[in-house]
Amino acid sequence: MESASMRLHALGERIKEGYTTWGCMWPKESVAPENGFILRNLSGNEIPVQSRVTAYWPDGSVKWTAHTADSSLLEDEIEVEARPVQNAFISKELKVSRQDGLLVIQAGMARAVIDEKSKSMLESFEFNGKIALSEAVPVLILEEPSDSGTKRQNYEGFFDQAELEESGPLCAIVKFTGIHVNGSSRRFPFVIRMAIGLDSPRVSFTHTFLYDGDEDRDFLKGIGIRFQSPLFGELYNRHIRLQGDFGAFHESPALLLSWRPRIPEGIYENQMNGVVLRLSGKEKELVDKVMQDMPFWDQYSLTQDSSEHFSIKKKIRDSNCCLIDCLHGHRSCGGVAIGSEHGSVLFATRDFWEKNPSGYTVSGLTTDEASVSAWFWSPEAEPMDFRHYANRGYNQVYYEGYDYKGADPYGIACTSQMVVKACDELIPSNEDVSGFAESVRCPVQYVGSPEFYHEMGAFGHWSLPDRSSETEIWLEDQLSKALAFYIEEVDQRGWYGLFNYGDFMHTYDRARHQWRYDMGGYAWDNTELVPTLWIWHEFLRSGRQEAFILAEKLSRHASEVDVYHMGKYKGLGSRHNVRHWGCPCKEARIAMAGHHRVYYYLTGDRRFEDIFDELKDNEKTFASHDPLGDFYNKEEMTYPAHARSGPDWSSLCSNWMTEWERKNDTSYRNKIETGIIDLKNAPLKLVSGPDFEFDPETVHLRYIGERASGGTHLQICMGSPQIWMEIADLLDDEEWKRMLADYGRFYYLPNSEQLQESGGIIGEREFSLPFMAAAMGAYGASFLNDSVLAKRTWRHLLHALMSSGNHEGFQTVTVENCANKRELKEIPWISTNFAAQWCLNVIVCLEFIREALPKTLKEADLLVAEMDGGSFRKA
């Protein structure tokens, strides 16, 4: 195979600090698994790089790789080249060894020691010969309500396994798997990844916990990681900085500001400027005398209790004394530094204020060792109550799945990220603390150009922007407006919090000028109608950093909180609800790998490997959780379960396709092909059903007639078209491609023609909400070279958002003194279902049938006028 290369650029203007990982895509048959990789800046200098394969083409050649390098060595534009031999430039390498039960990572100037039999993830972390950390222990606080008050239980994490997940020349990742323990009580399993880089002063943690408690008793009061860091020298040479809205709050536990006797102002000024005080003679005598009769501030806390408020408090080392208020503010980015004559340590938590209530507790500043607890849920906040909002469901009135209560938090997860950094300075400056926190909040990310991903066919079929005609300009404007609306709505509505951040609400209430946050299935969206795919496709085609961030947060949330990772629902997700785990409907479509493949392949995030592993065989859950179990009599069934060709079987295909490409395991390709063969044998092929009986053991589909539980549109509005089209390309199955094309054609036939072509067997099946089938119609029009179908497809899609002379689209309106806003921007008719599906279908249709799009809005009006009734959005 000849050499191949990919150019990438840094996303946005992010601070280049620490190691970064990114993904590269390779043409089919161009890179062999044994290839080596070279990284260079576009200026020509070669940079050390660590590489691994993350996906394969069907022929076994490499499709995706993940690469890790020190971002401080990288320019804004880089190039990765694959070569037939291992010849990447690395002059110094990280070494891992095991010595007497200790795992030792020698990473140049950095050294980490892990005792595999200890409760601590770190025995020590040294940089440049100085110990920065002497302990890192997962901690948990649970609170149990009772008639007599509350009972608080403190837990510490113990890991069952410390797996060296990655060990290369530049970076080592240790994966800790364990559970929090208090005596005989074991709660909240965890998976924590710790990353160490060559010559890097940073240690990165990705912290995942799973809820396995009793929702009636186990309220989450606090969870995080407790670090120990040695302190040396005089108390007045110890410092702390806590980041605020502007700059940082900075103090010493022994502030050299006194009344009598008065310490010279110059000494205090030097102290507050972070200068190491080397006192002698009378100055030393004076300071020593003052320190005999002054309070020493041993403990500080920073608490971001909501997205709108943080506080800083402190106290002396006496359990019988109170905390006093130091500062109140709006939003802290979560940067903290402590220092002594030994040096300093910085801490930063990603999305600190967004994923509130978060915080830090720093204590022991007056001792030989400081304790820093980084809280992902701060114990200073109200405990997290996992119970449901009602003791039943509201199926019809409130759009919930059933009338019985189906809420269950057991098995959900939540992931947070943080970084610790060693520093030689007494205390880093305000700028250093804020810069470090910003580098953690928005880490360096390299991506390819939209043109490159498009040419490679990355993630199927989607279009690049083109504003050549008036109607194309209008469409691109609507896509931009829709994205901007959701970006701004996250902040306007305060969609923040550890268990909420990343998700959107489902449907708007124009009368209350509020989303239906309290109305059953109209509240949190939980990936309903795949806003994940919409926003990831928007990033792929535009390269916009704002789209990447919005999609990244959505993937992080939806892959963890909306999905079950253990227990009876493992591999399934919860349908949209007031509580993310609230709906009785637990379905594969919410959990499917297809939501998050883009993020994984662009970033190489290893947490998603856990998630994909959980999903690869989740068809087995259908035996006990038939998605259509309440619609059919089990005694009359041949197979033990059901699966609609979409979204149930298509979601399984998404999981199987991901496992096939990640592991080059053809048994998962065979699972896909088994179902495709069964659909080929159905009377109307893909149009048939879409309800089928399903055998979780053989993954066969059994045709049972024409019935669409929930509506035919559900077959194609949950990501099925994108999954099926990508599978068609991977399998290169012409009959399957024609089946996709025929489906799109059939959906848009007049009902009389549908009945005639099907021989009447479709009966009263309705092919509803036709704008949601536009991607399939466009595929069909392109494949069949059918200009009539292309015109029908555009007519349905345009009609959904415009009517004659009305081209407002996703235009916001401003309402004054409403919803606690001086000026509220809203789209009164909006639903995330509509926004996600309309935008996603436009993105695909522009790829297949752009030439059939009316050139002017007047022509578009004439096309839309051929349809009866108003637009869908105003219905």
Side-chain angles (χ1 to χ4, degrees), residues 327-403:
L327 182 70
H328 291 269
H330 186 206
R331 292 171 172 174
S332 169
C333 285
V336 171
I338 61 169
S340 69
E341 293 174 24
H342 179 71
S344 53
V345 184
L346 296 93
F347 303 82
T349 300
R350 193 174 188 195
D351 298 326
F352 182 77
W353 65 263
E354 293 92 337
K355 297 180 77 168
N356 63 83
S358 50
Y360 293 91
T361 302
V362 182
S363 60
L365 289 174
T366 60
T367 70
D368 292 337
E369 193 171 51
S371 173
V372 180
S373 295
W375 298 109
F376 308 126
W377 187 281
S378 171
E380 298 300 314
E382 290 294 315
M384 175 62 190
D385 183 347
F386 291 89
R387 294 174 298 179
H388 199 41
Y389 78 99
N391 57 12
R392 55 159 291 185
Y394 303 95
N395 182 7
Q396 293 300 311
V397 176
Y398 265 29
Y399 188 37
E400 294 191 293
Y402 298 98
D403 283 333

Side-chain angles (χ1 to χ4, degrees), residues 6-28:
M6 177 181 175
R7 286 192 175 186
L8 303 100
H9 64 274
L11 187 65
E13 297 181 357
R14 303 185 178 193
I15 297 171
K16 293 186 177 68
E17 181 179 334
Y19 278 78
T20 182
T21 300
W22 68 90
C24 285
M25 188 178 186
W26 305 98
K28 190 176 180 180

Side-chain angles (χ1 to χ4, degrees), residues 772-832:
M772 295 185 182
M776 296 294 282
Y779 185 94
S782 176
F783 185 89
L784 301 170
N785 195 24
D786 187 336
S787 60
V788 173
L789 178 56
K791 181 179 178 181
R792 284 176 176 169
T793 300
W794 277 124
R795 184 169 62 223
H796 284 291
L797 190 52
L798 293 173
H799 177 261
L801 192 60
M802 68 159 60
S803 57
S804 181
N806 183 347
H807 308 134
E808 292 179 358
F810 292 101
Q811 182 64 48
T812 60
V813 296
T814 300
V815 184
E816 295 185 352
N817 299 317
C818 190
N820 201 37
K821 301 291 181 183
R822 180 174 296 174
E823 290 188 344
L824 176 76
K825 292 183 178 180
E826 67 175 7
I827 302 178
W829 53 266
I830 196 71
S831 77
T832 302

